[in-house]
Every structure is written in structure tokens, then in C-alpha cells.
Amino acid sequence: MKKTDSNYSRRSFLKVSSLSGGGMMLGISWFASAKPEDSLAELNIEPVWQEVTSFIKIASDNSIKIFSPNPEFGQNVMTSLPMLIAEELDVDWKQVEVEQGNYDPKAFPRQFTGGSQGIRMAWKQLRTVGSAARQMILTAASQAWNLPVSELTTANGMITHAFSGKSETYGTFAAAAAKVPVPKDIVLKGNQSFRLIGTPQKNVVAPKIAQGKPLFGMDYREEGMLIAMTERPPAFGMRLKSFDATAAKKMPGIVDIFPIQVFKDDHKFAGFDTRSFNEVIAVVGKSTWDVMNARKKIKAVWEVAPERKEMGVNNRETTVPSGLESTTKHYAQMLEMSKKPGVVERKDGDPEKAFAEAKHVIERTYTAPFLPHNIMEPTNTFAHYVGDKVRFVAPIQIPDWIMPSIVARLGIPKENISIELVRMGGGFGRRAYGHYMIEAALISKQANAPVKLIYSREDDVSAGIYRPSYQLTYRAAFDENKKLIAFHAKGGGVPESPLHANRFPAGSIDNYLAESFVIPSNITIGAFRAPRSNFNAAAEQSFLDEISEYMGKDPIAFRLELLQRAKDNPVGKTNDYDASRYIGVLELVREKSGWGKPENAGKKRGVSAYFCHNSYAAQVIDLQVKGDQVTVDQVTTALDCGVVVNPEGAKNMAEGAAIDGIGNALFGQLTLTDGRTDQRNFDTYRMIRHNEAPKKIDVHFVKNEIDPTGLGEPPFPPIFAAMANALYKATGKRFYQQPFQPQLKG
């Protein structure tokens, strides 16, 4: 059979084995060596289904369990991923039980949640699992009934032969199906045949969440488990010199206090800056309260750390400077760097000449502070180190990232490390870095007991992994007729640049220049929902509004004009975005928001649109301002993320992005003085409150048959500029520095 979009070869990654009780288990293994002619029995897989991460379990009573491979922290992948399997399996969603799978790299080399990749990467793989199981059950039924497979149909977990009237459950044939040869070609449904995909489904664990069931890492308990916390440097750029824990060890409930070195001096952990987490003091006791009180009694001496080289984010060696840094100095450094030539990332036409000959130039600079993730469930992990083995119960987004460091630091083989994945109370990039797992393992080893490591809220805020502090300076050149003839973007930050040189409006302007710069820092930074895009969109889309106002054009019409140019006659060789899909979300949000109609008294609106993580989002905000109080009446969101698997979960994600973005835009900022964060808890770090959330969030999706392209990040970045542009309409003041709310008081 010729392979098409609907005919997907099994690619030697399907494995099936018998289950005790007459059932069937099917799972994915990218390293399986099965061949089409192999029977299931000949695959010689241990009939222990717990060892496979993503699989189907079908029992003789027709009960069906689908395991979700990816860690869950709110995107609802634990519902949407199993839906892909259930769709092709042709079962009634109501009869499916979903369970979180544990970490198993042999089954899933990309077992992570982040980067809006969950559905995108699993779209065909998990559907293939369901389709393969269905075909094998059909084969077993055809053999039992002595009927051609072509005459059999499936629906809701039942096999039917219409002519004879025979009908049985999948469970009836599950045991026999486990002996059927693996299909050579696996046929996937066409989009028009979907029964489950595209229908709204509630979160499969919502009842358990509502009932307070123990789903999260903080809920985990085990006999003999001790509690641990760590004392860290009081400021970034410092390290431990010495400490005295004499008084602390005498506190009630304390078992031990000792220093640990999280990473070895010669270890380079790709993707994470280790500089602020390497030397800590572990406090181990019988309860959280005991440990917190004892920690206050430790007398530690800290010193300024010297400059050093280290592998940082993006797997690049970086210089970690010595000294205690401050926000005021960071802003001064970025401003100074913006006036110097940067690293040219893209150049179209002759922008220098265009600016020199321009009749008018607009230049604006946008800045943003560090942002902490503020995950509602503080960082935690359980570890039990016994002999040469360690077992984790960990809220972790990307276990593959931390595994090499665990192996290197603990000196034990990978196969001796097990990770039970638990539901996370928020992530947003913070739980992509599992240094806390190494801390917990080292503490467990030293304490010779199972340990749960817990960060306090102050630990998470003041010793976190932050969204970098950024700056973008834009210039736009115009001729005598106010025609846009050149565009210049220069972006930098501490310690990375937010610039995306090949994104809109690149490709739509004849003369275009993009430059970047970076300022080395000892502040720990990492992924934050829609990395770099969350600021790039804020600045870019605010500036485009200002340009459109100068040109006397409607903001949406102006964007569409640029995008039409990029679509019909693009400038340059590389543009990251699809102009047609970009146009689609702008046209949809214009329609659904009623853009262009008279605004209600006192209400003002702003628009923004952005492409990131393979998807497109546009938003219109309607708000009111009274003094320094902002009331958001409505957010209208248009999204193109390809096929929407679960509209219920997708809508929730878009709503959450709007609220999250508005809160960060208005209030979010982490500042530092002499290396120490000025904010340490929610009494000093301002979060959006329930009564400040939009009164209404209206979400719409572009309907198409494009394979899913991602949804977690895309609706987050544009909301910042939509807010800034609406605030301008309401106040007459442009907003160039985040957060916006303090500027309303001026």
C-alpha cells in the first residue's frame, strides 16, 4: 500500500504483548526492532505493562486504559494526548481511563511538556498506536468469525458484522489480538472522519483535583520520609565560605545539617546556568516547620564569587562575571549598548542609506525587567537513594534534560534511576530545569533516608530562574509622503537578546536591519513562557501601532498591508512566518471583536498579533482606566494552531494566557539591589488578582486541516502589546517600560 497522509507505516516502533487476565497492551518504543512479519508473541516483550510509558491496555471485560506519556502542568495534555489514541482506536471516550505514565526514555525520547510541542510531536505517533491496536483487534475478530476484515466495522469499542448481525466488544478479542502479526501498514483516519478529535472534553482528572486527591509532588508521602530545605546565598554573585550550624542542629525535629555541592566543578549542564545553585546548606528534619525554623539559626558566611566560564542556556559557553548586580545598572548598561553597533543578524536592502535620506524617523526604546515564574506549587521533589539506585517522584517538565547531570553527579548508571512523574502545580518553563532533583538525591544519600526537598516561596522568588531583562530599540524611516521605507531593530538583554531577526515585519520592508547584543550576568535565567517572544512581541507590536498612527492608518489594516507584501512579494531569503496564516488570525479577530465599530463610552481598545512556536495569535483588548485602576472588559482572541484536538482545553489555555499576560504586563517585575532581589514573596511581588481578570474572554480558532502546530506559548506574547496599545487610547500616554501599572500613577 502506498504511504499517504492517512497511511502511516509502523516504522518499527510498535510493540504489543499479552497481559495477564486475557488483555492486550500496546505501546510505543522508538528503539524496537520488530519487523512486519514478527508475531506479537515472537517480540518477546516482558508482559509487565508498567514498564512501557505510552500504551493501551485492553482487558477482557472491555475496560480500556490509556497512559499519557507527557508530564502535565495545566495544558491538559493528559486529556488531549490520550484522545489521539482513542480516536484511532474507535472507542467510547467515556469508557477510557487515563493514567499518567512514568519516565521511560526507551519508549519516548521526547517525553516532555514544553515549547508547545506536546500535540505537535505526538499527532501521528499516538494516532498510530490507536490505529494499530484497532487493526489487530479486527484481524482477531475476522479469524474468530471466519469473516473478511473488510466486512467488519468498529465503533465505541465494539466490532460489528452488519450482514450477520454479529457484534462483540474489543475485550472479547483482546487476548487473541495479542498474537496477531504487527500490521505492515497502519491506516490513519482522514480529518473528516474524526469523531472524538475536535470535540470539547473535560479534564480527565478534574474530579480528582476538585476532591483534593493527592496528585502533586507536594502531596507525596512515604513511610520514614524526612523533609529537607536548603539555605542559599543571600544574593546572586555570592558563594558559601563557611557556616556554623551548632544552634540549628539543637532545634526540635532536626536530623542533620550539612553542605552539598550540587554540580561538580568540571560539569557543564547544557541548557541551564548552574551558577546560583551550586553550593547550598541542606537542613533535614521531621517536618517542614521544624526545618524552616532551624534554617533561620544557621550562621553562614558568604563571599563574592570570582569570574568563571560556564555552559549556559542554548548550550553556549558564557562568562559569569564577578560582582553584585543591580537593576539600575542593568538598564544603564543596556541603554549604553543600544547606542553602539550590534551583531548584525539580518540585513535587507540598504537601510543605512534609507535612514540617511528619510524625511522623518521615529525611534522608541522598550525595556522589561526580570520575571520569576511564580509557580503556585513551590519547587519540590522526593528522592530515595539506596545503594547504587535512586528513585524520584518529581514534578519535572523535561526529565531528559536533567538525566545526564544526575548520572554525572551521582556516578550511577542511567538504568538505576527511576522517575515517577506527578502533576505539576504550574511550570511555564521553571520546571524544565531539574537541579532540585540532584539536590534531593544528594541529601537523601547523606541522610540515608527517603527525603522530600521543598523550596519556600521565598526560595522560589529570590533564588529562581528568571525571564531575562530585555531592551529593544526600534527605528522607522519615512519619505515625504509618510511611506515606510526602512525599519531597524536592535535588541539585547541581561544576559541574552530577545531578538527574532526573521520574524515579522522582516520580509515586508525593502530596507531592514536587525542587530543584537548581550550583557553578561551572574543572574540565573531560563525558559519563561514563550521565551524571548513574550517581550519581542510586546515591543514590536507597540511600535507598529505607533507607526500606523503616524501614517494615519488603521492598526489592523496597516499590519495586513505589510503582511500582504510579505505574502505576495517577500523581501529577503528567509522569513520564519507564514504570511497567509498571520493574515488569517488578524482578519478573524477583526471580525469577532467588531473592530471599527464605535467604542462604548469610556472603553478603549488595542490590538496585537504575533507568530511564535509555529502558531499564530491575535488579540483585541477592551478596557477602561480610572486613575491608576485598569478594568479589562473583554479580550477577543483569534488563534491558528492547526487542528484543535480538544477545543475545551485549547480554550482554557488561551484564557489562561490572556490572564497571565495581563498580570505580567501590568504588575510583573523583579528588581535587584546588590545582587539581592527586592521582592521575595507575594507581599512585595504584585500578582494579578481575581477581580482584575478580564470580565470576558472570547476565544476563536481558525478552522483548517493543518496538522497541530502548538498552543501553550502562542497566545501569551501578543497580550502585552494589546494592553499597551489600549492603555494609550485610554490615557494618551505610550508605555515603553514594563510593568505598566506603576506608570498610571504618574
Side-chain angles (χ1 to χ4, degrees):
M1 184 181 293
K2 184 179 180 181
K3 186 169 67 177
T4 65
D5 287 342
S6 296
N7 299 312
Y8 197 69
S9 169
R10 79 181 165 80
R11 287 188 176 180
S12 298
F13 68 78
L14 289 172
K15 283 186 177 181
V16 186
S17 66
S18 299
L19 286 171
S20 59
M24 169 188 177
M25 179 275 289
L26 183 149
I28 292 180
S29 174
W30 288 88
F31 307 110
S33 57
K35 298 178 181 178
E37 64 270 17
D38 289 333
S39 72
L40 302 179
E42 291 169 344
L43 290 178
N44 193 31
I45 304 173
E46 290 292 329
V48 184
W49 57 263
Q50 291 92 341
E51 293 182 359
V52 180
T53 303
S54 176
F55 55 86
I56 303 164
K57 179 179 178 182
I58 303 175
S60 56
D61 64 355
N62 210 36
S63 61
I64 296 171
K65 181 180 287 187
I66 298 178
F67 281 71
S68 181
N70 291 25
E72 172 67 78
F73 59 90
Q75 302 93 319
N76 214 7
V77 292
M78 196 171 171
T79 302
S80 54
L81 289 179
M83 284 176 67
L84 300 178
I85 297 174
E87 175 66 69
E88 298 288 347
L89 186 59
D90 263 356
V91 294
D92 184 351
W93 183 245
K94 294 179 182 178
Q95 75 185 100
V96 173
E97 178 187 352
V98 176
E99 188 171 316
Q100 174 69 61
N102 289 327
Y103 177 58
D104 187 343
K106 292 182 178 179
F108 284 94
R110 291 180 62 83
Q111 189 182 1
F112 73 89
T113 302
S116 300
Q117 295 293 300
I119 295 294
R120 182 169 179 257
M121 297 304 300
W123 174 243
K124 287 187 176 179
Q125 288 89 339
L126 293 190
R127 288 170 58 207
T128 300
V129 171
S131 181
R134 173 182 170 275
Q135 290 182 52
M136 286 181 277
I137 294 169
L138 281 171
T139 300
S142 74
Q143 292 171 351
W145 289 343
N146 196 26
L147 293 168
V149 172
S150 59
E151 294 183 8
L152 305 181
T153 59
T154 59
N156 296 323
M158 301 288 293
I159 306 99
T160 301
H161 185 245
F163 183 75
S164 66
K166 290 183 177 181
S167 183
E168 289 289 352
T169 66
Y170 282 8
T172 302
F173 304 104
K179 301 176 183 178
V180 171
V182 178
K184 293 183 179 181
D185 292 286
I186 298 169
V187 180
L188 300 182
K189 292 180 180 180
N191 292 14
Q192 68 281 357
S193 300
F194 292 154
R195 298 176 183 176
L196 179 60
I197 291 174
T199 64
Q201 302 298 330
K202 297 296 183 181
N203 187 324
V204 294
V205 296
K208 293 181 179 179
I209 294 173
Q211 295 166 21
K213 298 294 184 181
L215 303 173
F216 301 87
M218 287 292 284
D219 297 326
Y220 190 78
R221 298 288 186 275
E222 190 169 296
E223 185 71 25
M225 183 184 79
L226 299 175
I227 298 297
M229 300 184 79
T230 55
E231 183 73 359
R232 302 174 180 279
F236 286 92
M238 302 193 80
R239 68 179 182 182
L240 180 64
K241 183 177 181 181
S242 63
F243 74 98
D244 180 359
T246 303
K249 287 183 177 181
K250 295 178 181 179
M251 296 289 287
I254 297 305
V255 174
D256 202 357
I257 299 175
F258 49 84
I260 60 172
Q261 184 175 352
V262 183
F263 297 96
K264 292 182 179 179
D265 291 332
D266 60 349
H267 178 62
K268 296 180 178 180
F269 174 35
F272 171 66
D273 296 304
T274 64
R275 50 197 174 221
S276 301
F277 300 89
N278 210 30
E279 298 170 305
V280 298
I281 304 168
V283 183
V284 184
K286 296 180 180 180
S287 73
T288 306
W289 183 246
D290 291 337
V291 171
M292 291 180 73
N293 284 327
R295 194 167 64 153
K296 298 175 184 177
K297 297 292 185 178
I298 295 174
K299 298 178 180 179
V301 178
W302 309 93
E303 63 182 1
V304 175
E307 179 181 296
R308 64 189 182 278
K309 297 285 185 180
E310 189 171 275
M311 191 66 72
V313 293
N314 301 322
N315 201 17
R316 296 177 180 176
E317 187 172 73
T318 182
T319 298
V320 181
S322 178
L324 304 180
E325 302 176 24
S326 298
T327 295
T328 53
K329 183 178 180 180
H330 287 158
Y331 283 143
Q333 287 176 303
M334 288 191 289
L335 187 61
E336 181 182 359
M337 290 294 290
S338 69
K339 298 175 182 178
K340 301 177 181 179
V343 177
V344 176
E345 305 288 354
R346 174 169 175 152
K347 184 177 181 180
D348 297 328
D350 192 345
E352 292 87 357
K353 180 180 179 183
F355 274 101
E357 296 177 352
K359 296 299 181 181
H360 184 69
V361 173
I362 296 177
E363 179 176 328
R364 300 291 185 264
T365 295
Y366 302 82
T367 58
F370 288 100
L371 291 179
H373 294 83
N374 291 320
I375 48 179
M376 290 295 99
E377 176 200 21
T379 300
N380 68 90
T381 198
F382 169 88
H384 193 185
Y385 200 127
V386 180
D388 63 345
K389 295 182 179 181
V390 62
R391 178 171 63 89
F392 293 101
V393 179
I396 180 77
Q397 288 180 233
I398 314 175
D400 264 343
W401 271 19
I402 192 61
M403 186 58 76
S405 292
I406 295 175
V407 171
R409 182 63 184 90
L410 303 185
I412 60 178
K414 188 174 182 179
E415 55 268 22
N416 286 7
I417 301 167
S418 66
I419 304 175
E420 179 181 331
L421 298 176
V422 290
R423 189 177 183 88
M424 292 170 270
F428 315 109
R430 174 62 183 92
R431 299 191 204 267
Y433 311 99
H435 56 91
Y436 47 89
M437 294 176 66
I438 297 177
E439 291 179 23
L442 292 172
I443 295 170
S444 174
K445 183 179 182 180
Q446 178 81 7
N448 193 29
V451 165
K452 181 159 73 173
L453 173 69
I454 299 174
Y455 283 26
S456 69
R457 177 62 59 190
E458 287 81 3
D459 293 334
D460 260 339
V461 174
S462 63
I465 301 171
Y466 310 123
R467 195 282 302 271
S469 182
Y470 290 130
Q471 178 181 288
L472 267 164
T473 297
Y474 288 108
R475 293 193 302 150
F478 304 87
D479 65 12
E480 62 276 5
N481 298 315
K482 293 188 176 181
K483 178 184 176 182
L484 178 62
I485 59 173
F487 192 93
H488 180 201
K490 182 181 290 184
V494 183
E496 70 168 16
S497 171
L499 187 72
H500 289 284
N502 297 320
R503 291 189 186 172
F504 183 72
S508 66
I509 302 169
D510 290 327
N511 303 293
Y512 177 89
L513 177 63
E515 298 177 274
S516 68
F517 65 86
V518 297
I519 296 172
S521 171
N522 55 44
I523 311 301
T524 302
I525 61 99
F528 187 100
R529 191 174 190 175
R532 294 172 295 281
S533 296
N534 54 59
F535 175 67
N536 197 57
E540 169 204 290
Q541 291 290 308
S542 295
F543 189 59
L544 289 178
D545 245 46
E546 197 157 350
I547 291 176
S548 67
E549 181 182 49
Y550 172 76
M551 297 174 72
K553 296 185 176 183
D554 173 81
I556 293 182
F558 172 61
R559 288 169 172 82
L560 290 173
E561 179 184 309
L562 291 176
L563 286 164
Q564 197 65 44
R565 166 68 193 281
K567 177 183 176 182
D568 297 338
N569 186 24
V571 180
K573 296 181 179 180
T574 302
N575 294 320
D576 292 342
Y577 58 94
D578 181 332
S580 296
R581 294 179 69 187
Y582 218 137
I583 289 170
V585 292
L586 273 166
E587 290 180 337
L588 183 60
V589 82
R590 179 172 60 182
E591 172 196 345
K592 297 300 183 181
S593 68
W595 184 269
K597 295 180 181 179
E599 296 174 337
N600 294 328
K603 295 182 181 180
K604 299 298 178 182
R605 54 182 18 190
V607 66
S608 178
Y610 199 68
F611 156 78
C612 77
H613 292 79
N614 308 293
S615 294
Y616 301 77
Q619 289 158 329
V620 169
I621 282 183
D622 292 276
L623 56 75
Q624 304 176 60
V625 177
K626 294 182 179 179
D628 63 351
Q629 299 301 307
V630 178
T631 300
V632 180
D633 295 287
Q634 180 167 322
V635 176
T636 305
T637 298
L639 289 158
D640 181 353
C641 57
V643 174
V644 178
V645 174
N646 180 10
E648 176 82 7
K651 177 174 175 287
N652 291 343
M653 201 149 19
E655 292 170 338
I659 297 170
D660 192 14
I662 289 170
N664 278 290
L666 285 175
F667 312 115
Q669 73 170 332
L670 187 85
T671 58
L672 297 105
T673 302
D674 294 330
R676 183 185 178 94
T677 60
D678 298 318
Q679 300 78 24
R680 298 183 61 82
N681 206 322
F682 293 149
D683 60 333
T684 51
Y685 190 95
R686 180 73 157 87
M687 298 282 288
I688 191 170
R689 295 164 183 156
H690 284 285
N691 66 337
E692 294 166 333
K695 295 179 180 178
K696 180 180 180 181
I697 303 176
D698 193 19
V699 181
H700 302 273
F701 296 93
V702 173
K703 295 180 180 180
N704 56 44
E705 293 195 359
I706 298 172
D707 287 355
T709 53
L711 186 57
E713 273 90 353
F716 182 65
I719 200 75
F720 290 79
M723 171 66 69
N725 294 333
L727 287 174
Y728 167 69
K729 296 290 183 62
T731 65
K733 177 182 179 180
R734 292 283 180 186
F735 291 78
Y736 301 110
Q737 183 170 341
Q738 296 175 22
F740 304 145
Q741 201 272 343
Q743 300 170 60
L744 293 171
K745 297 180 180 180

